[in-house]
Amino acid sequence: MRSAIMLIQAGLVLIGVVVAAYSKGQHGVEAALYGGAVAMANTLILARRMERVGMVDAASAQRGMIQLYVNAVLRFVFVLAALAIGLGVLKLMPLPLVGTFIGAQVAYMLVSVRSRSK
């Protein structure tokens, strides 16, 4: 499932890059690639953490739950810091960066919800 999500996210990032190239030029492409990379890195972090939590014994469910909460906080901080660096330090264009990030994250959410409902 992780590879399907990553492929869909990569496809949406590519669409975001093409749209940004058409509407904003080279600077838009850089911002769109950065936003997509942050979203995909976030997905990879989540997948690795979920694998670790899956390895925790069923008897220590409380420990697994704590790991899930810590993971959520760490991913939030990562995304916040990465977007702040992209917008503040690198001075990338906000619309392509955030738009591509949101598009890739929405793809992750939709694919995850759809695969769970099957």
Side-chain angles (χ1 to χ4, degrees), residues 4-109:
I5 291 173
M6 294 299 291
L7 282 174
I8 292 170
Q9 280 187 316
L12 285 176
V13 169
L14 183 60
I15 291 169
V17 168
V18 169
V19 169
Y22 178 74
S23 63
K24 304 289 185 183
Q26 178 63 30
H27 296 295
V29 170
E30 294 166 355
L33 283 172
Y34 186 87
V38 170
M40 292 180 77
N42 191 30
T43 300
L44 287 174
I45 292 169
L46 175 62
R48 284 200 59 183
R49 293 289 179 166
M50 292 302 288
E51 287 173 4
R52 283 187 187 171
V53 169
M55 290 181 205
V56 174
D57 294 334
S60 60
Q62 184 178 10
R63 182 176 173 193
M65 189 59 86
I66 290 170
Q67 286 181 350
L68 286 174
Y69 283 123
V70 169
N71 177 40
V73 170
L74 290 176
R75 287 186 321 115
F76 179 77
V77 169
F78 164 73
V79 168
L80 192 63
L83 294 179
I85 289 169
L87 295 170
V89 176
L90 300 175
K91 307 279 190 225
L92 296 172
M93 297 179 86
L95 186 60
L97 189 153
V98 175
T100 305
F101 172 78
I102 290 172
Q105 285 300 112
V106 168
Y108 169 77
M109 290 174 14

